[in-house]
Amino acid sequence: MILFLGTSLFFATTINAQNQLHNYVDPMIGSEGDGRVFIGPSCPYGMVKPSPDCTVRPNSGWLPLPTEVTGFSQVHVSGTGGGPKYGNIQIMPFSGALDKLDQAAFREEEQVKLGYYETVFKGSRIKTEITTAEKVSFYRITYPKNASKELKIDPGFFLGEQPEPDGREAQQFVGSQIEIVSDTEVRGYSRIRGGWNNGRAYTVYFWAVFDQPIAKYVTWKDGKFYANESAQFDSGKKTAALLSFGKDGKQELNVKIGISFLSELKAKNNIQVEIPHWNFNAVLSALENKWEQLLGRIKLSPDTSDEYKKMFYTGLYHTMIMPVNRTGENPLWTNNEPYYDDFYCIWDTFRTSSPLITLIDSKRQVEIVNAMLNIYKREGYLPEGRSGNDNGRTQGGSNAETVIADAFVKNLKGIDYELALKAMLKDAEVPPGGNEEREGRGGLLDYLRLGYVPYGTDRAGNRTVDYAYNDYNIATVAKGLNHLDIYNRYIKQADNWKNLWRADYENNGTKGFIMPKDASGKWLDDVPFGESKIQKPSFRFTPTITESPWYVCHWCVFFYEGTSWEYSLSIPHDLPEVVRRLGGDLAFQKRLDTFFDNKLYDVSNEPSFLAPTMYHWIGKPYLSSDRIKGIIKENFNTSRAGLPGNDDSGAMSSWLAFHMMGLYPNAGQPYYLLNTPLIKETTLQLEDGKSFKITAKNLSDKNKYVKSALLNGKLYNQAWILHEDLVKGGELILEMDSKPSAWGTTILPPTK
């Protein structure tokens, strides 16, 4: 009987472990190709993200075998484009003499799962395992028997280093410092500036602790080794240290590295608070539990395929890696309010990442919005593309407005919306005074005077389109707060996209596009090629053209990272007017069909995110579902190249997760579009113990269309649902069929 009970308990425990949702997360999905996701261990929104750096080139640090590993740094980003950021405080285990700084090695193999990274190096046979807490990395390094145990600590390393000074989007060295404090402790810092957002200098402090005493060491500075000096102070030169723990004792060396943006002592305190012990497995287990609690807020039906479970839960995971929670680690000002950094970037994440966080963890989203307002109060503008404690970059609109409006219409509590409205109005009314690339709205005075941003201002096209939507977001909040004078002004400005609408312009058989116009109101068929002031060459601007890098600089384009075909449809607050301007329902359907069938849609970038659902606005949600399913089938999978574009802080992954559930948000507005789910049953665990279940009855490859729907037992004939109805809890049952029906064809999504 005892044997039977023991065996039963073993199998029950094994099955329970297999069913844990974090086991379906594969951090390697999207690691190759354009995805650029971070593959190392991370807490949800965790400040510390340790992983290998494979040269200085990649944004996330990691590159596939056979690229050599330079070392393991403690701070990284996930899924980003542009120039790299971070890659600070690098360590590297090795065996041998303390006589060279370069200890790069090739991997023999590596294993990656949520919260855990492991590799074995060729030649040396050293195994490195990594897990992490919020602000502390934990390394378990196993050296071969009888091998000497050495370790490099290099605060001078960083990603994105380029030989030329002040290179755009390149990180630049400012200073570093290192000190061997005792036979088990080393401290120091790395000070770097620049990177993708050309930001001001940031400082990453560290405190490293070892479970074995240092037997011998040398320090290094500016190319020279120093055998008898325990510290190298910051003189604007790179510093490092090589440590030897000898051959005696156990072959396993444990290393804890506390990180802080405040001081070395704060980094030490982070170790004492978060990991006061030496139990690697306990840290890993605690990390897994944190993720399990969050992932468990959305449950899929048991018969969901492992492939779909991996795609879905990895999508949730990627969404919650960034922005980064640095509450209590803000070097710029001191208060008890939330502080988040690495909004990388709101122009991507407002569409899907923020709405998904609102569904999974609304209290977290309240913190994030309050952190944005905290930045506004201290620095004067809301963030748009913030990293390294610096706003640093804008692209098109001031899209924090959409994030705030989304929180407002979804009734998130604990946000001062009067203050939020003031912050939104600051973006919309006060030029940033030469800092247009850093914050605020570029071309604002022209936009207010003309009703559009004229050609000649960088990114004039998408700025005009985005500002019009951001003005709609302001109008939404103003109306809800009963500021009707503000509402009346901004609801009118929400129409400004029409001022660049060229109704008679034809391309690919359809008419009506947003096109460049100069400050005098003249349409421009030909626009300047390059920056020559003498010959003044030009090129023909068309709705299909991608200007950069062939014709103009990356940031000098009319439409950034998109074409007029994409941006002319990107009017999320006024699609009925777009339908009307294009000639009605049939003409709009033709426009969408041409868009997708002629490969003018770009699955890899956010300006096209809403487009597959736009058939809803002509009463044909079944065509939206067909497009969405085709896009996912062709572009998303569980491979290392399983994301079609930069994940952009989870924007791409959250787009996928929403569509797998059959929901899609129109960010800044209080509803979700309903599409055919990829999963038969999805249950969202809401606040106050409520849940909302989406059931697709008889769903199959053949039965892919919604025949009818019931919401809490009552007929539901619209292909969208209000957020307030969803969070009340209940069940939406979709009866599936093999052919389209009249469901969702008459009650269209809300209008402006």
Side-chain angles (χ1 to χ4, degrees), residues 6 103 118 208 221 244 261 292 297 335 355 367 379 398 510 515 518 544 565 585 589 597 637 668 736:
Q103 299 293 343
E118 178 266 328
K221 186 175 187 177
S244 177
F261 285 80
E292 191 69 22
R297 294 183 183 178
N335 60 29
E367 281 191 7
E379 298 194 357
S398 47
T510 65
M515 298 292 283
D518 67 17
T544 60
W565 263 93
D585 291 0
Q589 180 177 335
D597 295 341
N637 54 62
M736 308 306 296

Side-chain angles (χ1 to χ4, degrees), residues 37 298 311-322 345 348-360 606 609 632 636 643-644 646-665 672:
V37 298
I298 303 182
M311 291 168 65
F312 183 80
Y313 286 113
T314 303
L316 297 191
Y317 169 78
H318 284 154
T319 304
M320 295 182 282
I321 293 180
M322 292 165 54
C345 299
D348 293 322
T349 59
F350 81 82
R351 294 172 170 89
T352 51
S353 296
S354 291
L356 187 55
I357 293 169
T358 295
L359 270 183
I360 296 171
E606 287 75 10
F609 267 19
I632 292 174
F636 293 84
L643 294 174
N646 296 160
D647 197 41
D648 288 324
S649 193
M652 191 71 61
S653 290
S654 51
W655 183 94
L656 173 65
F658 265 121
H659 280 312
M660 293 185 78
M661 291 188 286
L663 298 172
Y664 193 76
Y672 304 88

Side-chain angles (χ1 to χ4, degrees), residues 30-203:
S31 60
E32 296 186 28
D34 292 330
R36 296 184 177 181
V37 298
F38 172 73
I39 61 98
S42 174
C43 289
Y45 314 95
M47 190 177 85
V48 168
K49 291 178 168 50
S51 81
D53 294 313
C54 305
T55 76
V56 301
R57 300 191 310 273
N59 285 37
S60 65
W62 181 88
L63 286 174
L65 280 73
T67 310
E68 63 185 3
V69 171
T70 310
F72 303 91
S73 295
Q74 317 314 311
V75 188
H76 294 91
V77 293
S78 182
T80 61
K85 192 81 175 181
Y86 302 133
N88 309 102
I89 316 302
Q90 188 177 88
I91 70 168
M92 184 63 173
F94 66 100
S95 289
L98 308 182
D99 60 359
K100 63 177 182 177
L101 197 65
D102 182 3
Q103 299 293 343
F106 290 96
R107 292 158 287 177
E108 186 168 286
E109 52 86 9
E110 63 184 354
Q111 296 182 32
V112 180
K113 66 176 185 175
L114 181 146
Y116 177 83
Y117 173 87
E118 178 266 328
T119 192
V120 175
F121 289 129
K122 290 182 177 180
S124 70
R125 302 293 300 159
I126 296 171
K127 180 168 77 171
T128 302
E129 299 169 275
I130 317 173
T131 191
T132 191
E134 302 278 349
K135 303 179 181 70
V136 184
S137 305
F138 198 133
Y139 291 80
R140 183 165 63 189
I141 305 168
T142 305
Y143 297 80
K145 189 175 182 180
N146 298 322
S148 60
K149 306 183 289 288
E150 278 74 49
L151 185 72
K152 175 179 76 171
I153 302 182
D154 184 1
F157 179 88
F158 56 94
L159 293 171
E161 184 174 16
Q162 295 180 8
E164 68 273 12
D166 299 315
R168 185 180 176 89
E169 297 196 7
Q171 291 203 109
Q172 308 290 334
F173 180 80
V174 177
S176 71
Q177 185 165 294
I178 195 163
E179 179 185 7
I180 297 165
V181 182
S182 71
D183 62 356
T184 58
E185 298 168 292
V186 176
R187 67 182 179 184
Y189 63 78
S190 170
R191 184 169 290 131
I192 308 296
R193 63 180 174 87
W196 74 275
N197 65 332
N198 300 312
R200 61 192 169 200
Y202 64 91
T203 305

Side-chain angles (χ1 to χ4, degrees), residues 265-282:
L265 288 176
K266 181 62 167 62
K268 180 181 182 180
N269 179 255
N270 288 339
I271 298 176
Q272 295 167 340
V273 170
E274 293 187 357
I275 314 180
H277 55 77
W278 288 103
N279 190 329
F280 182 95
N281 292 334

